[in-house]
Amino acid sequence: MRSEMRPWLVFYQPDRGLLAQRLAERRARGEEDSLSDQELLLPFELWLQIATHLSHFSALCSLSSVCRGLWPLGRHPVLWEARCREVYSIRGHLACEKLLRLYDWSWQRMFVQRPRLRTDGIYFDAHTKLVKGLIEGRGMKEKDEDFYSACGKWSTYYRVFRFFSDGSMFVNITTQSPLEVRKAAAAVTPSRPASLRQRLKDACWGSFTLREEAEHGQSTLRIDARVLVSHDDYPRMKPAEMRYSLHLSRRPGGGATNAEAVLVGHSCVYDAATGDCKHFEIRKPEVSFIAFGASRATARHVWLSLAPLAEFDGGVKLSQLAADEAAARAKVMAEDDQRLER
């Protein structure tokens, strides 16, 4: 009686559904269980319409790998053209029609190989230095932990960038790991500027311009960002303008993060009228990217590959070179202590 009143419940019963009947008929004919393009339960045009509403390109790849009938869906030019026009819509990109010939007139190849600025995650660089302890700090403890170390301690800090499609961005310099910052950065939106200070206290808003150039059959991106640095505790302090220049070039392996980001310029402008500007030395130009949707294991691998000396699991992973440097510092400080005793 229940099935007569609600006939659609048949589709939720694996042994009595339409798909089970189709598969049973194929097995009776001695054919394989996989459905072909002509035997999809829905017309291919309807599947194409469904795929256009997928939010991320990884979902499209997963859908096309379900069966051989949906495999052409992952190579359909209509879907990849929409993806390309979406990600390359930021001002500064060249028109897609002008560069399509560089990728053999394939929208999918353009999406995979053409460098693009990711707005669904954070870019970050890591800086690690050995901080020398002071004699005055010996014996000072907090929570039963002595922060003085004769050979010094490793200190790692990160510069985190996040870009938005409207041309706005923010920078956060912090000692927290990118795994912790990623969750807070995902909740920040340009429509609510106050959300930045609520999630990341020391972060500052800024803007960026993008310029794309195509030379020798390859496309490169240059990003120039400007950030006004100010602090709420010092309202009368004149804000300084931090300038960053990043260069994105094609990564040989392709993939989702298809571009290698490198920091090529870093300066601070105190007064543009008088030319008061300081240029900083870039010792470690590599910049990595972590998507918001990446798993924690993947994000951790990206983090530690860029900052191998970062603290994790309660310890510090030191390279042989860093260990030798720490031992040399300890020897010098021990000799200084002996001289003071004499």
Side-chain angles (χ1 to χ4, degrees), residues 241-283:
E241 185 181 72
M242 302 296 295
R243 297 182 179 181
Y244 303 94
S245 296
L246 289 86
H247 185 269
L248 274 72
S249 59
R250 176 184 173 185
R251 172 177 290 183
T257 309
N258 66 344
E260 292 180 345
V262 178
L263 184 65
V264 296
H266 180 203
S267 61
C268 180
V269 179
Y270 300 99
D271 192 347
T274 60
D276 188 4
C277 179
K278 181 179 180 180
H279 296 272
F280 299 97
E281 180 184 359
I282 302 175
R283 298 182 178 181

Side-chain angles (χ1 to χ4, degrees), residues 308-321:
L309 302 183
E311 296 184 1
F312 67 101
D313 294 338
V316 179
K317 181 181 178 182
L318 297 176
S319 63
Q320 186 63 36
L321 180 62

Side-chain angles (χ1 to χ4, degrees), residues 208-226:
F208 72 95
T209 57
L210 187 148
R211 184 172 71 254
E212 184 177 14
E213 298 178 355
E215 295 181 356
H216 307 291
Q218 293 185 357
S219 177
T220 57
L221 288 177
R222 184 181 179 89
I223 303 168
D224 295 322
R226 296 186 177 187

Side-chain angles (χ1 to χ4, degrees), residues 29-88:
R29 297 194 302 265
E31 301 178 5
E32 298 179 358
D33 292 345
S34 60
L35 296 177
S36 62
D37 186 14
Q38 292 77 15
E39 296 181 350
L40 291 174
L41 298 181
L42 297 176
F44 186 81
E45 291 74 12
L46 187 55
W47 283 110
L48 185 62
Q49 187 66 22
I50 295 174
T52 57
H53 293 82
L54 296 178
S55 59
H56 201 262
F57 70 92
S58 60
L60 173 61
C61 299
S62 301
L63 180 60
S64 63
S65 61
V66 171
C67 63
R68 289 187 297 178
L70 294 177
W71 181 81
L73 196 66
R75 295 178 174 271
H76 204 282
V78 173
L79 300 178
W80 291 109
E81 180 182 359
R83 299 290 177 182
C84 289
R85 296 190 182 280
E86 178 183 359
V87 299
Y88 299 118

